[in-house]
Amino acid sequence: MSINRRVFLLSLASIPPLAALPFTALRASAAAGSQSFLAVSETITGAQNLSPETTQRVEQLLRERVDGFDDRLSSLASALSGPGSREALLSALDDEDLDFALQVAKPWYLGYVGSPSGRVLDDDAAFATYLEAQAYQKVADIIPLLSYAPAQAGWWKDVPDGVDGSDLPAGADTWAYQPRQSYQIAAPDPAWRAYAAGDYDTIEEAKADLSGTGKGRADDNTEHNTEHNTKGAS
Amino acid sequence: MADYDADVIVVGSGSLGGLTALELVRAGRSVIVLEAGPETPDWKITHNFRNSAHKDNFSGPFPDLPYAPGSYSKGYVDAHLEGIKVFPGTLRTVGGTSRHWTAATWRLMPEDMTMQSTYGVAVDWPFSYDEFEQFYTAAEYEIGVNGQDNFDESGLGKGTTYPPRSKPFPTPPEAKPYATQRLQQQIAPLGYRVDIAPSSRLSVPYDGRPACVGNNMCNWNCPIGAKHSGYHVARKIRALGVDLRPNAIVHKLDKGEGGKITGIRYLSPTGEETRLTAKVYVLATHGFETPKLLLMNELGNRSGMVGRNLMIHPTIDMSWLSPQPYWVGRGQNIHGAIMQRRTLPDRATIPSTRYDLLNSPNNVSVAQKSLKAGKIGAELDAAIRDQTAHLFTVEALTEDLPDPANRIEVNSAFKDALGQPGISLHYKISDYTNANLPRLMDDYANFLQATKGTRVSAPTTWICQHHIMGTVRMGSTAEDAIVDRDLRCFDHPNLFLVTTGVMPTSGGVNPTLTGMALALRAGRTIAMEV
């Protein structure tokens, strides 16, 4: 099932009424923040619906953490203000402006500033946004935002939009289904084993270097202890 | 009754303590449950999660309190680790640490409980799987486990249900996501069998809880209660008349003649002390706090094993990018498992291993790496979309063996807001664990070949599960264990320990369902005595 309706509803929930105003009005409403920060944020994210409240919060978080914030914002805003596409403008940035642009991008994409710890709760991280975090928004048509389920139970067994699942056999979406009657885990192909272990940067390099030794087919090289005769299913 | 405040006092309101209390109150016994942490409803955890900067931290949405620190509270655990940089997270809150579990509900197999007699390592449990099976079934029906009939969990292709079950799963299998369907097709030719991973993330409405709708935040706390947690049990026991007291930090147990416990004392968050009495006392404060309370009160340690034999299930992740899209992240946090490394004949030298097929979305981690690599604009957007679609991560959960050197101790150098000590934790990755690395790399190579994958993360860095076992272990004699087969302290006839810490071996699967079965069993045992 498509999750487009969920995304649509989510977009309604995430955009405050001000965002329904014309673009120029939205810019003007970011009173506590700066118009230049909103402008660079729009270019960096490619999003035209950034809310004034979040923009203000992100700007404030960065202002507290980035030395010379105002000067750097001014420089970046100037660099991005010229004519040209988003890509042309961003790719033309010098190192200094690009570094600052990446700092601006981080809270907009990840939803936080600082370095959050996944373990002991001792870090400098601060929340920036969730509903407007671009890492989620860029895939929101396929992957729903965590805690915003898009449909009723079981929707996730359907093939995602844009994916070709036509080769999957009937019944593959059930747990009773097994592709094989029995299973024998293969000994690894030497080239893939070496690539997996990081001995080569690419599998092609591994194969070239180990040519003549790479067999690794499941049917002719099995481990002693992995004989599995299982019940076939649907 | 007038001589006591209650028939039974249970310390800890997690899934295990709650289920013991549930059995007792159903049997007509009066019960007080003391919980160190506050009561925080599910909606509040969802709200906290959405507004958290720590979305990778399962403890992040829960209150971090100066009077009831969890293991991820700053300074609370003084960790001495070798071969690993992390340790399990615990919560002190109504509902306990099961608020943030994934709800994987595996049973141990008979051989997991007879490691000494079957493989010549570790120890045997003081009772058999067959004897215990009815309590697994009771636990599964209590929390609504879903699974596949005729399921061989050994991965050995026995062709029959294994371990044996007296009743079928109480609910039908969960929906199987496209990502798992695709991976199953890819890796079957190299001999890997994908099966369901039983869970208490409901597939259909059950016991007043709704079916899962795929919020995909199981690891933190289910927004709608489709995933079982101790919070459901807490509400159940309250409705049946149990006196559940949050913010009650137990710090002392009084000891009388014959080792009997004569009273229990708890502090309020502002330090006022209350003393209560009961016929029987139950410590259900998980695998860190239970041994800590015993050590603080010099209880139960004739064997010298209190706090020792800590097992945390060493775990390793492996990731790749396949040319075929998966779109991991649709559904629940885990969907499916590979069991074929669980019970191999060489288990005396290489640990039991189960592969979980992880199903948390990869978008944020992809964005992190891409930003770090300097990507911005359309290049960044494309990387997020492309890699989120094509990245798959398999997690190997591996068996831990008991080693007395792996332990927790009381750390008096730390004081919380009430002056209570912290924990000192010592854990070293064993040679036994590391002996698994070549096999894990073999499997990673096969996964890469089968998926035509590009290497992203090889299995080289140990992490762990949020599982704690062994620290107050069960056994047959007071010389090498803390509790007997009934979970009664050898040294204290009216003190029971209900925690996964009693598990003398860990197996290669999540311990919570086993803990729940033990809790129900303890409740029935105690009910017959009071």
Side-chain angles (χ1 to χ4, degrees):
Chain A
M1 166 170 183
S2 167
I3 61 172
N4 288 338
R5 175 160 174 75
R6 176 67 241 174
V7 173
F8 171 70
L9 292 172
L10 190 59
S11 69
L12 290 182
S14 65
I15 301 171
L18 273 176
L21 296 173
F23 186 58
T24 49
L26 183 149
R27 286 190 172 214
S29 70
S34 65
Q35 291 188 11
S36 59
F37 186 75
L38 176 61
V40 300
S41 296
E42 287 175 341
T43 302
I44 288 169
T45 62
Q48 299 300 312
N49 59 348
L50 304 177
S51 72
E53 292 82 358
T54 304
T55 304
Q56 180 183 341
R57 182 165 59 246
V58 172
E59 181 175 7
Q60 184 60 28
L61 286 167
L62 291 172
R63 190 183 299 280
E64 292 166 358
R65 285 166 173 77
V66 178
D67 290 338
F69 176 86
D70 288 323
D71 289 344
R72 299 192 72 178
L73 175 60
S74 177
S75 174
L76 180 61
S78 175
L80 295 178
S81 65
S85 67
R86 178 190 180 208
E87 286 326 295
L89 291 168
L90 288 170
S91 61
L93 294 177
D94 64 25
D95 289 349
E96 179 75 6
D97 284 339
L98 177 59
D99 174 76
F100 184 65
L102 287 165
Q103 293 189 60
V104 174
K106 179 178 170 180
W108 277 121
Y109 275 82
L110 307 183
Y112 58 80
V113 293
S115 301
S117 166
R119 301 282 170 161
V120 174
L121 297 160
D122 178 20
D123 59 52
D124 65 347
F127 172 78
T129 181
Y130 185 40
L131 295 177
E132 295 178 66
Q134 298 301 307
Y136 298 97
Q137 290 303 315
K138 301 303 183 193
V139 295
D141 57 326
I142 306 289
I143 306 288
L145 204 61
L146 275 61
S147 81
Y148 290 90
Q152 62 188 1
W155 60 267
W156 52 88
K157 79 176 184 179
D158 293 345
V159 179
D161 288 350
V163 173
D164 180 6
S166 60
D167 62 312
L168 293 175
D173 61 353
T174 70
W175 291 103
Y177 167 80
Q178 287 295 334
R180 293 193 146 198
Q181 294 291 314
S182 64
Y183 291 86
Q184 294 179 320
I185 293 180
D189 174 276
W192 282 99
R193 180 63 164 74
Y195 171 60
D199 297 340
Y200 298 91
D201 289 337
T202 66
I203 182 59
E204 289 75 20
E205 290 176 22
K207 284 179 175 174
D209 204 30
L210 300 173
S211 60
T213 63
K215 299 175 183 174
R217 290 188 57 235
D219 294 335
D220 50 70
N221 198 4
T222 56
E223 288 188 355
H224 69 288
N225 57 4
T226 54
E227 182 72 28
H228 306 303
N229 296 311
T230 57
K231 285 179 70 175
S234 59
Chain B
M1 179 61 216
D3 294 337
Y4 300 96
D5 293 298
D7 290 326
V8 182
I9 293 174
V10 178
V11 185
S13 71
S15 263
L16 275 57
L19 288 173
T20 297
L22 184 61
E23 281 298 304
L24 288 163
V25 72
R26 281 173 173 166
R29 309 299 184 263
S30 64
V31 184
I32 297 172
V33 174
L34 304 175
E35 169 54 53
E39 177 162 3
T40 313
D42 287 337
W43 71 262
K44 179 64 174 169
I45 304 304
T46 305
H47 176 80
N48 290 349
F49 171 80
R50 290 170 173 168
N51 291 287
S52 172
H54 304 87
K55 290 190 172 64
D56 282 345
N57 195 321
F58 300 165
S59 296
F62 291 89
D64 181 20
L65 298 164
Y67 63 85
S71 67
Y72 284 176
S73 299
K74 184 180 177 182
Y76 184 62
V77 173
D78 177 29
H80 304 266
L81 307 171
E82 290 185 52
I84 191 169
K85 293 182 178 176
V86 298
F87 54 85
T90 62
L91 299 176
R92 292 167 88 178
T93 183
V94 171
T97 302
S98 75
R99 296 290 291 277
H100 80 22
W101 72 318
T102 319
T105 49
W106 296 98
R107 294 181 175 204
L108 292 177
M109 296 185 298
E111 48 269 58
D112 295 331
M113 300 165 72
T114 57
M115 289 294 291
Q116 178 55 232
S117 54
T118 304
Y119 301 104
V121 295
V123 293
D124 289 353
W125 288 44
F127 50 79
S128 70
Y129 175 87
D130 288 345
E131 188 182 344
F132 192 48
E133 194 280 337
Q134 63 173 304
F135 298 100
Y136 270 130
T137 296
E140 288 177 346
Y141 276 75
E142 189 62 52
I143 66 174
V145 169
N146 86 77
Q148 178 70 42
D149 289 340
N150 304 315
F151 182 23
D152 169 21
E153 298 182 22
S154 76
L156 292 176
K158 292 175 182 288
T160 185
T161 301
Y162 193 81
R165 311 174 58 86
S166 57
K167 293 174 74 173
F169 287 100
T171 60
E174 68 200 23
K176 180 179 173 184
Y178 172 77
T180 301
Q181 298 171 41
R182 174 56 61 196
L183 183 75
Q184 182 179 34
Q185 292 295 326
Q186 289 180 322
I187 64 177
L190 286 187
Y192 293 90
R193 177 184 169 119
V194 171
D195 279 301
I196 193 171
S199 81
S200 64
R201 305 180 299 264
L202 289 178
S203 56
V204 293
Y206 187 87
D207 194 26
R209 292 157 46 207
C212 170
V213 293
N215 279 297
N216 202 280
M217 59 171 287
C218 328
N219 281 328
W220 296 266
N221 189 58
C222 181
I224 63 171
K227 182 193 80 169
H228 168 84
S229 85
Y231 196 43
H232 298 113
V233 187
R235 287 187 288 203
K236 252 186 201 179
I237 60 176
R238 263 196 183 135
L240 292 170
V242 168
D243 177 3
L244 196 167
R245 303 184 188 184
N247 300 311
I249 304 102
V250 170
H251 66 123
K252 285 183 182 169
L253 288 86
D254 300 331
K255 188 171 69 174
E257 286 185 13
K260 287 191 76 171
I261 304 302
T262 56
I264 199 162
R265 299 166 192 259
Y266 69 86
L267 300 171
S268 73
T270 51
E272 292 84 12
E273 184 178 84
T274 300
R275 183 175 188 272
L276 296 174
T277 60
K279 296 173 187 170
V280 167
Y281 302 82
V282 176
L283 297 185
T285 47
H286 207 354
F288 287 158
E289 299 302 321
T290 302
K292 179 186 148 187
L293 268 174
L294 293 178
L295 292 167
M296 283 169 62
N297 287 276
E298 298 181 346
L299 296 173
N301 203 12
R302 197 184 338 164
S303 64
M305 290 293 116
V306 173
R308 295 187 178 272
N309 300 300
L310 169 65
M311 296 175 282
I312 59 177
H313 279 148
T315 296
I316 213 159
D317 287 353
M318 51 189 84
S319 303
W320 62 86
L321 287 163
S322 170
Q324 290 185 294
Y326 303 109
W327 285 112
V328 160
R330 294 159 57 87
Q332 307 167 358
N333 281 168
I334 290 177
H335 276 296
I338 298 166
M339 313 301 296
Q340 291 151 285
R341 302 298 196 193
R342 189 176 174 191
T343 319
L344 297 178
D346 59 4
R347 196 165 161 189
T349 53
I350 299 180
S352 167
T353 298
R354 185 194 77 240
Y355 290 113
D356 280 326
L357 311 184
L358 301 189
N359 193 49
S360 292
N362 297 301
N363 48 341
V364 176
S365 63
V366 167
Q368 279 172 333
K369 288 178 184 170
S370 300
L371 282 164
K372 209 168 185 177
K375 290 191 170 90
I376 197 166
E379 186 187 17
L380 173 62
D381 296 348
I384 291 170
R385 200 160 173 91
D386 182 63
Q387 294 182 35
T388 299
H390 294 270
L391 186 66
F392 205 104
T393 299
V394 165
E395 180 174 271
L397 181 155
T398 75
E399 177 174 27
D400 223 351
L401 291 184
D403 177 353
N406 292 329
R407 66 194 188 278
I408 71 112
E409 298 170 337
V410 173
N411 176 23
S412 299
F414 173 89
K415 299 289 184 193
D416 68 18
L418 294 174
Q420 300 303 306
I423 288 171
S424 179
L425 188 156
H426 300 259
Y427 185 88
K428 179 182 178 182
I429 290 289
S430 66
D431 292 343
Y432 179 71
T433 294
N434 280 328
N436 206 2
L437 288 170
R439 176 174 288 166
L440 298 171
M441 192 63 79
D442 286 352
D443 288 334
Y444 182 50
N446 278 340
F447 295 150
L448 287 172
Q449 181 180 4
T451 61
K452 297 181 173 59
T454 301
R455 187 182 66 224
V456 173
S457 173
T460 56
T461 305
W462 290 111
I463 55 175
C464 70
Q465 298 287 316
H466 297 284
H467 304 164
I468 309 170
M469 298 150 288
T471 50
V472 285
R473 74 170 169 179
M474 168 173 51
S476 299
T477 70
E479 281 64 47
D480 65 3
I482 291 86
V483 296
D484 65 14
R485 54 180 282 128
D486 293 327
L487 309 192
R488 186 196 316 269
C489 284
F490 284 110
D491 295 344
H492 310 287
N494 66 338
L495 179 63
F496 291 74
L497 309 183
V498 176
T499 156
T500 52
V502 304
M503 293 172 62
T505 58
S506 70
V509 294
N510 310 54
T512 309
L513 184 73
T514 300
M516 291 174 171
L518 287 166
L520 292 171
R521 183 171 171 271
R524 292 182 196 179
T525 301
I526 297 166
M528 288 189 284
E529 295 187 8
V530 297

